[in-house]
Amino acid sequence: MPTAATSMQIAHMMKAMSIEARVRLLFHLRQVKEVRAYELQAVLNLTQSTISHHLRVLRTEGLIEEEKKTRIIRLSPGVSNLLSAVEQAATQLYVK
């Protein structure tokens, strides 16, 4: 069983991933490897301010990284494996 601190971190990460647009953003990043924030408007069909908010939440929880100078956004190390596990679990849970 995880410690209380680890449980809290997991809960925060899951909360950050509880919004459908953020999940789409993370899976898009897994596919393209890196992107600039302004390129996400066309992909997600959201306003720039909404995208900025989602990026801030994901960055705060350590799910993405952003280079300050180039403004390139990437998945944090290990997040691709996490997304694979989440995708596999969802497939197993929701296949009838």
Side-chain angles (χ1 to χ4, degrees):
M1 174 161 357
T3 65
T6 300
S7 295
M8 183 64 76
Q9 289 173 325
I10 292 169
H12 282 280
M13 179 187 61
M14 292 176 80
K15 184 176 179 183
M17 292 178 60
S18 69
I19 304 294
E20 185 261 345
R22 293 181 197 154
V23 173
R24 286 190 301 138
L25 191 155
L26 290 170
F27 276 97
H28 178 70
L29 278 172
R30 184 177 73 167
Q31 182 179 10
V32 300
K33 306 298 184 220
E34 62 184 36
V35 70
R36 288 184 170 79
Y38 69 85
E39 297 170 327
L40 292 170
Q41 273 186 283
V43 173
L44 300 175
N45 196 29
L46 297 171
T47 65
Q48 188 61 46
S49 62
T50 300
I51 291 170
S52 293
H53 170 72
H54 290 317
L55 290 173
R56 184 173 43 256
V57 170
L58 294 172
R59 192 172 40 252
T60 299
E61 294 307 322
L63 296 170
I64 62 170
E65 298 174 342
E66 184 176 359
E67 290 183 19
K68 298 272 188 213
K69 291 181 182 177
T70 61
R71 306 281 297 169
I72 292 175
I73 301 162
R74 294 184 185 93
L75 289 177
S76 294
V79 174
S80 185
N81 293 337
L82 169 68
L83 293 175
S84 295
V86 167
E87 188 174 32
Q88 183 179 16
T91 301
Q92 291 176 358
L93 288 171
Y94 297 108
V95 170
K96 304 261 182 206

